[in-house]
């Protein structure tokens, strides 16, 4: 059996909605991979660029690991709906028991829509935690 790369993500078949999986050596990198996996569901970011002035931050309060993952993914959806921006790159760090997320964003009009935009993160069959190779998650997105 082949070992998975140290860090990555993929979309997996799911009835009516979209399911993503992500993995990385640690919790924070796994959250960043989950953000990238979610974006891959509905936009093509090839050719889009974000500059240093597009950096935004989001502080996630302390909580259960799965709840913090959902908070980050929900925030991506919220920022798309309210500000019309998407993160091209994510840096996630542990901070005061929670997470500090830095995003370098791009205007949603600068990327190509390739799929249904997620409306929410489902808690059904949510999985996030350590595994034999680091951390992994599986999340269903309502589209």
């Amino acid at each position: 059996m082949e070992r998975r790369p140290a860090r990555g993500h993929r979309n997996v078949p799911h009835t009516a909605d979209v399911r993503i999986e992500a993995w990385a050596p640690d919790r924070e990198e796994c959250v960043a991979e989950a953000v990238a996996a979610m974006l891959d569901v509905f936009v093509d970011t090839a050719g889009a660029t974000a500059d240093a002035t597009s950096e935004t931050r989001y502080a996630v309060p302390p909580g259960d690991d799965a709840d913090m993952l959902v908070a980050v993914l929900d925030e991506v959806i919220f920022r798309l709906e309210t500000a019309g921006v998407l993160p091209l790159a994510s840096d996630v760090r542990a901070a005061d028991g929670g997470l500090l997320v830095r995003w370098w964003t791009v205007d949603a009009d600068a990327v190509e829509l390739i799929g249904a935009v997620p409306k929410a993160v489902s808690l059904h069959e949510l999985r996030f935690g350590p595994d034999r190779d680091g951390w992994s998650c599986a999340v269903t997105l309502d589209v």
Side-chain angles (χ1 to χ4, degrees), residues 48-65:
T49 58
D51 61 34
T53 62
S54 71
E55 180 182 332
T56 61
R57 293 174 183 243
Y58 174 57
V60 181
D64 176 77
D65 292 324

Side-chain angles (χ1 to χ4, degrees), residues 64-125:
D64 176 77
D65 292 324
D67 291 341
M68 289 192 293
L69 171 65
V70 169
V72 171
L73 297 176
D74 278 342
E75 185 69 11
V76 171
I77 295 168
F78 175 77
R79 289 180 185 224
L80 172 61
E81 291 174 349
T82 61
V85 297
L86 291 167
L88 282 184
S90 303
D91 178 61
V92 182
R93 306 283 173 162
D96 301 322
L99 298 172
L100 177 61
V101 182
R102 291 187 321 159
W103 283 309
W104 289 267
T105 60
V106 65
D107 194 66
D109 293 336
V111 296
E112 181 182 353
L113 186 66
I114 59 169
V117 177
K119 301 295 180 207
V121 178
S122 173
L123 301 180
H124 182 69
E125 296 181 343

Side-chain angles (χ1 to χ4, degrees), residues 6-75:
R7 180 180 178 141
H9 61 269
R10 67 181 178 173
N11 300 337
V12 294
H14 190 271
T15 312
D17 293 315
V18 175
R19 188 133 170 104
I20 59 172
E21 294 179 350
W23 58 91
D26 60 46
R27 179 185 72 167
E28 293 77 17
E29 289 179 275
C30 190
V31 171
E33 281 296 325
V35 170
M38 183 169 80
L39 292 177
D40 283 354
V41 165
F42 68 99
V43 293
D44 179 1
T45 59
T49 58
D51 61 34
T53 62
S54 71
E55 180 182 332
T56 61
R57 293 174 183 243
Y58 174 57
V60 181
D64 176 77
D65 292 324
D67 291 341
M68 289 192 293
L69 171 65
V70 169
V72 171
L73 297 176
D74 278 342
E75 185 69 11

